Amino acid sequence: MTATLKAEEQNQLQLVEREEMDDEDDLFEAIDKLINQGINAGDVKKLQDAGIYTCNGLMMFTKKNLTGIKGLSEAKVDKICEAAEKIVNYGYITGSDALLKRKSVIHITTGSQALDELLGGGVETSAITEAFGEFRSGKTQLAHTLCVSTQLPINMHGGNGKVAYIDTEGTFRPDRIVPIAERFGMDPGAVLDNIIYARAYTYEHQYNLLLGLAAKMSEEPFKILIVDSVIALFRVDFTGRGELAERQQKLAQMLSRMIKIAEEFNVAVFMTNQVIADPGGGVFISDPKKPAGGHVLAHAATIRLMFRKGKGEQRVCKVFDAPNLPEAEAIFQITAGGIADAKD
């Protein structure tokens, strides 16, 4: 009996030590560390100009992509990748290590307890959360609430970090942030200063804005990237079936970049999506609408949420697809102070 107790204590001690070690480790390794591995500072600068600011991010690029960077030959790319592999472990890890790694994931409150419970604690970092639904279903309102709640301290279910907001539909309203900040007891001016905002007009502009984020995220503590909406510009810039294949390919590249940002910097990615009419939905489905973007978008999103209108200011959110959440619904309300629990 005493032997088993001792063994258990030892195991607990080991876990605590491993956790402490894990806390000391940086979330990412800066690209500058390649210089210590004998890589030319000029080559490191070329990588930074291409939007690669961490060794973790470098490992997410193919050698073909890296040789496309002006001034980097195949031999140089091989040498750079070899050096990065010495700094970052990108091989297998045990399930226990993966579980410890999951402990760095933060859940950011949505402002509604019912919605937080549905999401297992809130919008999680290192993942893409997609909200789709018709206009006026509460997607942009949730995006505005997250702009504020992300800046709350972690003990108040916030992310204690800054916000990056890419707006493709022109729906961001800074004056909407003020009452939400006041509701959470925060200074509206300081909250607005911690949001970086960009209005994208073409899908290429949208992609370039994502590339430019790596530089900012490697220097400052960002905790969420909001894209409202992810598909709007693709539906405008590509028309008809003839351009569908190219559209989906470009969309896949953009979503891949967003997944890399989420995992590289441990930030939450919250994107809104539009719906399209589904004529093949059949007569038995009361509301034959499906999310835009097809399978490409469906596979990229970690958690998919379906929003629909309820009574008055009430809205309903349903978990449409998630790897670790049951299919359930939550009712929330849109108030002057953002998303909140529905009043009976």
Side-chain angles (χ1 to χ4, degrees):
M1 185 74 181
T2 0
T4 35
L5 273 170
K6 272 187 178 175
E8 272 179 27
E9 275 174 23
Q10 247 182 333
N11 281 349
Q12 282 175 333
L13 274 170
Q14 266 185 323
L15 266 174
V16 170
E17 276 172 25
R18 280 168 78 182
E19 274 186 55
E20 280 171 3
M21 277 165 60
D22 205 50
D23 287 345
E24 282 168 21
D25 283 348
D26 282 337
L27 276 172
F28 51 81
E29 303 287 352
I31 202 84
D32 299 344
K33 290 190 178 180
L34 288 176
I35 297 169
N36 303 336
Q37 297 287 334
I39 302 298
N40 184 353
D43 292 338
V44 171
K45 176 78 172 68
K46 283 168 192 163
L47 291 170
Q48 288 175 328
D49 290 344
I52 304 167
Y53 280 80
T54 70
C55 293
N56 311 55
L58 175 72
M59 300 302 284
M60 293 174 182
F61 281 83
T62 62
K63 286 185 179 179
K64 185 186 170 187
N65 283 346
L66 294 171
T67 47
I69 297 168
K70 199 177 176 186
L72 293 185
S73 62
E74 271 186 48
K76 272 185 182 176
V77 167
D78 287 340
K79 198 180 168 192
I80 288 167
C81 291
E82 227 170 89
E85 279 166 18
K86 287 176 189 169
I87 299 168
V88 185
N89 170 31
Y90 257 74
Y92 290 103
I93 57 169
T94 65
S96 308
D97 287 337
L99 185 63
L100 278 174
K101 214 174 173 185
R102 283 284 300 167
K103 287 190 177 170
S104 67
V105 169
I106 297 163
H107 287 85
I108 300 164
T109 180
T110 58
S112 157
Q113 205 179 332
L115 196 48
D116 285 350
E117 281 169 18
L118 181 77
L119 296 173
V123 176
E124 67 174 55
T125 58
S126 282
I128 292 185
T129 303
E130 174 208 347
F132 69 88
E134 282 187 285
F135 59 93
R136 279 197 68 242
S137 58
K139 308 183 299 291
T140 301
Q141 295 304 317
L142 177 53
H144 280 70
T145 308
L146 286 169
C147 281
V148 179
S149 66
T150 300
Q151 299 182 43
L152 287 168
I154 288 168
N155 61 3
M156 288 175 73
H157 305 291
N160 196 26
K162 295 190 169 194
V163 179
Y165 197 115
I166 296 174
D167 181 8
T168 67
E169 297 181 352
T171 48
F172 178 72
R173 295 289 178 270
D175 43 326
R176 185 77 188 89
I177 299 292
V178 176
I180 301 172
E182 285 166 354
R183 168 201 164 184
F184 285 103
M186 297 169 84
D187 171 31
V191 166
L192 285 164
D193 285 342
N194 284 328
I195 300 169
I196 61 165
Y197 166 81
R199 171 80 166 96
Y201 291 97
T202 68
Y203 81 91
E204 286 169 337
H205 185 198
Q206 191 178 339
Y207 187 71
N208 290 336
L209 287 168
L210 285 175
L211 286 179
L213 267 182
K216 296 185 187 301
M217 287 188 172
S218 61
E219 287 163 11
E220 295 175 78
F222 280 86
K223 266 292 162 266
I224 197 164
L225 161 63
I226 297 169
V227 183
D228 183 21
S229 85
V230 71
I231 197 82
L233 298 174
F234 286 88
R235 292 178 84 175
V236 173
D237 295 341
F238 296 93
T239 49
R241 285 200 172 272
E243 292 184 348
L244 186 63
E246 192 191 348
R247 183 192 93 165
Q248 293 302 85
Q249 192 184 12
K250 299 287 183 196
L251 179 61
Q253 285 170 357
M254 175 139 356
L255 292 164
S256 166
R257 184 76 203 139
M258 284 160 69
I259 293 165
K260 286 168 185 173
I261 287 171
E263 293 186 9
E264 187 180 342
F265 299 105
N266 188 26
V267 300
V269 174
F270 177 76
M271 61 182 188
T272 68
N273 188 12
Q274 300 171 342
V275 287
I276 52 173
D278 183 11
V283 281
F284 302 107
I285 298 172
S286 58
D287 193 17
K289 290 184 182 67
K290 59 179 187 180
H295 293 294
V296 165
L297 207 117
H299 291 301
T302 321
I303 297 153
R304 304 193 90 186
L305 306 173
M306 182 167 75
F307 281 36
R308 67 174 193 270
K309 295 168 196 149
K311 290 180 212 156
E313 288 300 308
Q314 288 188 358
R315 302 290 183 268
V316 183
C317 171
K318 181 184 179 183
V319 173
F320 194 73
D321 174 38
N324 57 341
L325 301 172
E327 205 171 288
E329 286 187 354
I331 298 170
F332 63 93
Q333 194 158 335
I334 298 170
T335 68
I339 298 289
D341 279 322
K343 293 180 181 76
D344 293 326

